Amino acid sequence: MATTAQLFEEPFDADEYIERLAWRTPGGGSKGGAEGFDPKKLLEEFENHIEELKQLDERIQRKVEKLEQQCHREAKEFAHKVQELQRSNQVAFLHFQELDDHISYVATKVCHLGDQLEGVNTPRQRAVEAQRLMTYFNEFLDGELRSDVFNNPDKIKEAADIIQKLHLILIQEFTAAQRRGEIGRMREVAAVLLHFKVRCVEQRVNKQVGEVFSSPEMVMAKLIQNIFENKLQAHVRETLETRPTELEQYLKNLYDLYTRTTALAAKLTEFNLGSDKHTFLSKLIKSIFSTYLDSYIDMEQQYLQTRSASILQRYYDSKNHQKRPLGTGSIQELKERIRQRTNLPLGPSIDTHGETFLSQEVVVNLLQETRHAFQRCHKLSDPADLPKNAYSIFLLLVEHLCVDHIDYALEIGLSAIPSADAKTANLYFLDVVQQANTIFHLFDKQFNDHLMPLISSSPKLTECLQKKKEVIEQMEVKLDTGIDRTLNCMIGQMKHILATEQKKTDFRPEDENNVMIQYTTACSKVCAYVSKQVERVRRSMDGKNVDTVLTELGVRFHRLIHEHLQQFSYNYMGGMLAICDVAEYRRCAKDFRVSLVLQLFDTLHALCNLLVVAPDNLKQVCSGEQLTNLDRNLLHAFVQLRADYRSARLGRHFS
C-alpha cells in the first residue's frame, strides 16, 4: 500500500486507515483470508509502513521549511517596498503642505486687497446713491417727474426700488408728527403710506389709530401681528432654543411663555381687530409655538421618566439599599400563584430591620412632579391629544409610584414575613400595610383631582379606570397575602407561648385544695400578646378593614384556644382553672369589638362548664341556650376530657 500525503486528507480516520492496511496485507485481515491469519506478515507490513510514514514526514517537513524560507524572503521584500512607499508619501505630503501654505498666503493678500478696495468704493457709492435720491425727491416735490426711470415702462422695477427707499422719509415724518400730536399731519402722511406695506410706529396708539386711519381694525391687526412675529417670536426662540441642560427648566419656560402669551391674547381681544379676532390671535400663537408644542409630550415623558427614577434611586441610596430585582416570567408567576393559594413563603425570609421601604417624602415628590406635568399637559396639549397625553403621564405615575415603589415594598415586606413556626417574629408587614394605604389614598386623590378633569369626556376615561382597577387589585392581592401570613405568624407566636408556658399539671393539680391563681401563666402571656397585636392592627388599618382583619384574627385565636384545651385532661380544680383561663380569653376578645369573636368565646366558656358540672346535670347543661345547637360529638369530646369520664360512666349521657 503506497504511502502518500493524499491518504491523510480530511476526513481522516486512524482506525479505518489501520483496518484498511491490515486487510490489504496477505494474512493480515481479521480472518486471514485464504492463507489464514499471519501475525508476522502483519507486523512486518506495519514496520515497513511506519518507515514509509517517517520518510513521508521528512519529505513534507523539508517542503514546509522551504516554503517558510520563501515566505520570510517575500515578507522582507514586501516590507522594504512599503518603507519606500512611506518615504515617497512623506515627501509628497511635505510638498502638499508647502503648496497649501502658499495658497493661504495668496488668499490672505487677495482678501486684504478686496477690503481696501471696498473701503474706498463703499463711501463713494453711498454718496452717489444719496445724490440720486435727492434728485428724485426734488422731482416729487415739484410734481414733475422728468427722470427716464419714472417714464420708461421697461424700468418699472428700478422705479419701485426708488419709491421704496423714498417712503422711509415719509415714515420719519409720520413718526415725528405722532410724537408732536399733530393728527392732521399724520392723516395726510398716512394716506400716502397706506399703499405701502409699512409699520408706522409701535406704541400704545389704539385711540390714535382710530382717529388717523380709515381702517383702524386692519392697522391694529397689523401692529399686533408685527409684535407677535418679531418681538415675541424672537423672545420665545431665544428662551427655548438656547435650551437649558435640564429638561425641567425647558418645560417650565415653555409653560410660562405659552401661559403668558395666551393671557396676552385674551386681553388683546378687547381691541377692534376685525370680526374673527379669536381665530386671528390663535393663528399667531400657533405660528410661534407649534414647533415646541409638537414635541412637548415626548419631552414631558422623558423628563418624568428620568426625574422619577432619580427620586427613587436617591431614596434607596439614602437607605444604603441595593434594589432587588423582582422575578418575572412563568416561574415567578407560578410561585406567586402558589404563594397566594397555599400561603407558603417560597424562599428565604429576609431581615429588613424594621424598614418598610416606603417613603411619604418620595411619594409627595412623585405626585408633585406628576401634578405639574398634568398642569403643563392641560395647557400645552392640543385638545384632541389631551386625553391621550394625560393617560401617558398617568402610566408613568403608575410605573414609578405603584410598581417601582409600593409594589416593590410589598414584595420586600412579603419576603420579610417569617414562617408561622418561627420562635420570634418581628411583624413589620402591618407597618407596610399602613403606609401603603396612606400612599394609595394620596394617589387616588390626585387621580380624581388632576387626571379626571382631563379625560372625563373621552374614551380614555375607561382605560384609566381599568388601569387603576388593575393596580388596586394587584396590590390588594399582595396585601391580603401578607396580612394572612402575618396572622399566621401571630397564631404561631401564640402557639409557641402556649407550648412553652402551659404544663399538663396546670389542669390536673395534685393538691386541688391549694389552687390560688386566677388563671395560668400561659393564658396571661397569650392575652398580653393578643392585646398588643389587636392594637397594632387598629393602628395599621382603616375603615372596614379593621373589623375584617380582627374578625379573622379572632376566629383563628378562638380555634387555637379551642384546639389547645382539647390536648389536656381535667380534674375538677383543673376544669375550674380552664374556665378561668377562658374567661380571661373572653375578656381579651372584647378588645376586638367584633360580636362574632365574643360569641365564639362565650360558647367556648359554656363548653368548659362541661368539665366541672356534676354528672347528673350534664344533659341539662348540654340543653342550655349556648350549647343546644352544637354538634353532640363536640359536646362529647369535651366531656371526654374529664378525669372522671370513665369512672363516672359519663359516656352513657351521649349514647
Side-chain angles (χ1 to χ4, degrees):
M1 181 178 179
T3 303
T4 63
Q6 286 77 9
L7 293 174
F8 301 97
E9 293 181 353
E10 295 293 338
F12 176 74
D13 188 335
D15 293 338
E16 181 183 354
Y17 180 80
I18 296 298
E19 183 64 28
R20 190 164 64 246
L21 177 62
W23 179 75
R24 293 188 178 183
T25 301
S30 57
K31 296 182 180 179
E35 303 175 3
F37 178 71
D38 189 346
K40 291 183 178 181
K41 288 186 178 181
L42 184 61
L43 176 60
E44 183 181 355
E45 181 64 25
F46 279 175
E47 290 175 347
N48 294 335
H49 201 74
I50 288 172
E51 288 299 324
E52 293 178 3
L53 289 174
K54 288 181 179 179
Q55 294 174 6
L56 176 62
D57 179 63
E58 291 175 357
R59 290 197 299 274
I60 293 175
Q61 187 62 34
R62 287 194 296 272
K63 187 175 182 181
V64 168
E65 291 175 356
K66 182 178 180 181
L67 291 173
E68 286 179 348
Q69 292 175 358
Q70 182 179 353
C71 181
H72 288 317
R73 185 171 58 257
E74 292 179 355
K76 288 181 180 180
E77 294 175 358
F78 179 75
H80 181 68
K81 290 181 180 179
V82 169
Q83 290 177 354
E84 290 181 353
L85 290 173
Q86 286 179 339
R87 285 193 293 271
S88 301
N89 182 63
Q90 189 174 8
V91 172
F93 178 77
L94 292 174
H95 290 168
F96 174 78
Q97 197 170 26
E98 291 176 0
L99 179 61
D100 184 62
D101 293 340
H102 187 67
I103 292 174
S104 299
Y105 175 77
V106 173
T108 302
K109 289 292 185 181
V110 171
C111 290
H112 179 67
L113 180 60
D115 291 340
Q116 289 180 330
L117 292 175
E118 184 177 1
V120 174
N121 188 51
T122 300
R124 187 183 69 82
Q125 286 183 338
R126 290 177 178 173
V128 172
E129 183 69 18
Q131 183 182 13
R132 288 175 57 215
L133 288 176
M134 292 172 61
T135 302
Y136 295 142
F137 189 67
N138 287 332
E139 292 183 11
F140 274 100
L141 292 177
D142 296 339
E144 183 178 353
L145 301 177
R146 297 181 297 275
S147 298
D148 180 61
V149 70
F150 298 118
N151 298 302
N152 189 345
D154 296 333
K155 296 185 178 181
I156 188 171
K157 292 182 180 180
E158 297 178 25
D161 180 64
I162 293 170
I163 294 171
Q164 178 69 17
K165 294 175 181 177
L166 289 175
H167 90 282
L168 295 174
I169 301 173
L170 294 175
I171 292 176
Q172 294 175 357
E173 176 62 21
F174 182 91
T175 303
Q178 189 271 337
R179 291 173 178 168
R180 294 192 301 268
E182 298 176 357
I183 302 298
R185 180 59 178 164
M186 291 173 64
R187 189 179 295 113
E188 293 175 3
V189 179
V192 178
L193 291 175
L194 186 63
H195 303 289
F196 294 92
K197 184 179 180 180
V198 59
R199 181 178 63 205
C200 295
V201 65
E202 292 181 2
Q203 293 182 18
R204 298 178 180 177
V205 291
N206 182 50
K207 182 179 178 181
Q208 291 182 347
V209 166
E211 295 174 350
V212 173
F213 296 98
S214 59
S215 300
E217 67 279 0
M218 294 177 59
V219 176
M220 281 300 297
K222 186 63 179 176
L223 173 62
I224 291 172
Q225 183 178 356
N226 286 331
I227 293 173
F228 270 72
E229 293 181 349
N230 294 293
K231 299 291 184 182
L232 190 55
Q233 189 168 29
H235 175 65
V236 170
R237 185 183 297 113
E238 180 182 0
T239 305
L240 297 180
E241 293 192 359
T242 55
R243 289 178 185 168
T245 55
E246 295 185 358
L247 270 177
E248 179 182 15
Q249 191 59 48
Y250 169 78
L251 291 170
K252 285 181 178 179
N253 290 344
L254 177 59
Y255 176 76
D256 179 62
L257 289 170
Y258 189 79
T259 302
R260 290 164 58 191
T261 303
T262 52
L264 172 64
K267 290 182 179 180
L268 290 176
T269 56
E270 300 173 2
F271 299 114
N272 182 13
L273 303 177
S275 59
D276 201 7
K277 53 188 173 184
H278 293 285
T279 304
F280 169 69
L281 291 170
S282 296
K283 288 182 178 179
L284 290 178
I285 295 174
K286 186 175 181 181
S287 67
I288 295 176
F289 289 97
S290 60
T291 303
Y292 311 107
L293 297 182
D294 288 344
S295 61
Y296 153 70
I297 192 59
D298 293 332
M299 294 191 172
E300 187 72 80
Q301 290 174 331
Q302 181 183 350
Y303 167 69
L304 272 182
Q305 185 78 30
T306 305
R307 176 62 176 162
S308 300
S310 173
I311 291 172
L312 289 172
Q313 189 59 48
R314 188 165 62 246
Y315 166 70
Y316 294 121
D317 289 344
S318 71
K319 297 295 181 182
N320 197 24
H321 173 72
Q322 180 65 40
K323 200 171 181 186
R324 300 173 61 201
L326 299 180
T328 57
S330 58
I331 296 178
Q332 181 66 18
E333 292 171 1
L334 178 60
K335 284 185 177 181
E336 185 63 26
R337 287 198 296 270
I338 294 174
R339 182 172 65 184
Q340 292 171 11
R341 296 185 181 183
T342 65
N343 209 14
L344 296 174
L346 292 180
S349 173
I350 64 172
D351 188 0
T352 61
H353 303 288
E355 179 60 58
T356 63
F357 291 104
L358 286 173
S359 167
Q360 288 209 17
E361 180 183 356
V362 168
V363 173
V364 169
N365 288 338
L366 290 175
L367 291 175
Q368 186 176 20
E369 292 293 348
T370 309
R371 178 169 58 83
H372 291 159
F374 281 137
Q375 291 175 346
R376 291 191 290 263
C377 178
H378 188 197
K379 196 71 177 178
L380 301 176
S381 295
D382 186 272
D385 295 331
L386 177 58
K388 177 184 66 175
N389 293 347
Y391 180 65
S392 67
I393 293 173
F394 171 67
L395 290 181
L396 287 173
L397 177 62
V398 169
E399 176 187 349
H400 292 98
L401 176 60
C402 299
V403 178
D404 291 347
H405 194 53
I406 303 178
D407 190 70
Y408 177 74
L410 293 178
E411 285 287 346
I412 295 296
L414 286 171
S415 301
I417 298 175
S419 61
D421 57 355
K423 293 183 179 180
T424 58
N426 295 320
L427 304 177
Y428 296 115
F429 192 79
L430 291 179
D431 297 332
V432 176
V433 173
Q434 179 186 12
Q435 293 188 34
N437 284 334
T438 301
I439 291 170
F440 201 80
H441 285 319
L442 296 174
F443 169 78
D444 192 53
K445 186 176 187 307
Q446 181 162 101
F447 183 91
N448 294 325
D449 293 349
H450 296 96
L451 177 61
M452 286 293 289
L454 307 183
I455 61 171
S456 57
S457 58
S458 77
K460 284 293 179 183
L461 174 62
T462 304
E463 292 186 45
C464 286
L465 291 174
Q466 181 62 30
K467 186 65 177 178
K468 180 185 172 187
K469 180 182 177 183
E470 291 175 2
V471 170
I472 293 175
E473 289 177 349
Q474 290 172 2
M475 290 187 180
E476 285 180 344
V477 167
K478 292 182 179 179
L479 287 171
D480 291 345
T481 302
I483 292 171
D484 187 56
R485 290 172 57 189
T486 300
L487 295 182
N488 281 346
C489 286
M490 292 179 182
I491 299 301
Q493 291 297 295
M494 297 180 209
K495 279 185 179 180
H496 179 66
I497 294 172
L498 291 171
T500 305
E501 301 294 336
Q502 196 86 73
K503 299 177 177 59
K504 289 187 177 182
T505 56
D506 287 346
F507 301 116
R508 293 192 69 175
E510 295 179 359
D511 186 359
E512 295 192 41
N513 297 320
N514 193 25
V515 179
M516 305 297 295
I517 60 174
Q518 295 180 341
Y519 40 79
T520 64
T521 302
C523 172
S524 174
K525 291 188 176 182
V526 167
C527 288
Y529 179 81
V530 170
S531 297
K532 182 179 178 182
Q533 300 311 316
V534 169
E535 193 59 34
R536 192 169 187 181
V537 169
R538 291 194 185 282
R539 289 198 309 268
S540 303
M541 307 290 174
D542 58 0
K544 296 181 179 180
N545 293 329
V546 177
D547 293 338
T548 302
V549 175
L550 287 181
T551 299
E552 183 63 26
L553 177 60
V555 170
R556 298 187 190 189
F557 174 38
H558 166 266
R559 186 185 305 121
L560 171 67
I561 300 303
H562 184 278
E563 294 173 353
H564 173 70
L565 291 174
Q566 289 182 311
Q567 299 175 12
F568 300 93
S569 176
Y570 302 84
N571 58 21
Y572 179 79
M573 285 308 298
M576 293 299 294
L577 193 56
I579 291 175
C580 291
D581 275 5
V582 173
E584 185 64 15
Y585 290 136
R586 183 174 60 176
R587 185 198 62 75
C588 180
K590 290 181 180 179
D591 294 340
F592 285 74
R593 302 173 198 168
V594 178
S595 58
L596 173 62
V597 176
L598 191 57
Q599 181 182 349
L600 289 172
F601 277 96
D602 285 341
T603 303
L604 183 59
H605 188 269
L607 280 171
C608 288
N609 287 330
L610 297 177
L611 302 175
V612 297
V613 70
D616 295 337
N617 295 332
L618 272 175
K619 280 192 176 182
Q620 180 183 353
V621 174
C622 290
S623 302
E625 180 182 353
Q626 291 181 316
L627 301 180
T628 186
N629 294 324
L630 295 182
D631 185 87
R632 290 183 63 82
N633 292 328
L634 176 60
L635 300 176
H636 191 194
F638 256 80
V639 172
Q640 286 179 316
L641 300 176
R642 292 171 58 133
D644 61 351
Y645 173 74
R646 295 186 183 277
S647 61
R649 297 177 62 195
L650 300 181
R652 57 189 173 85
H653 296 287
F654 297 92
S655 59

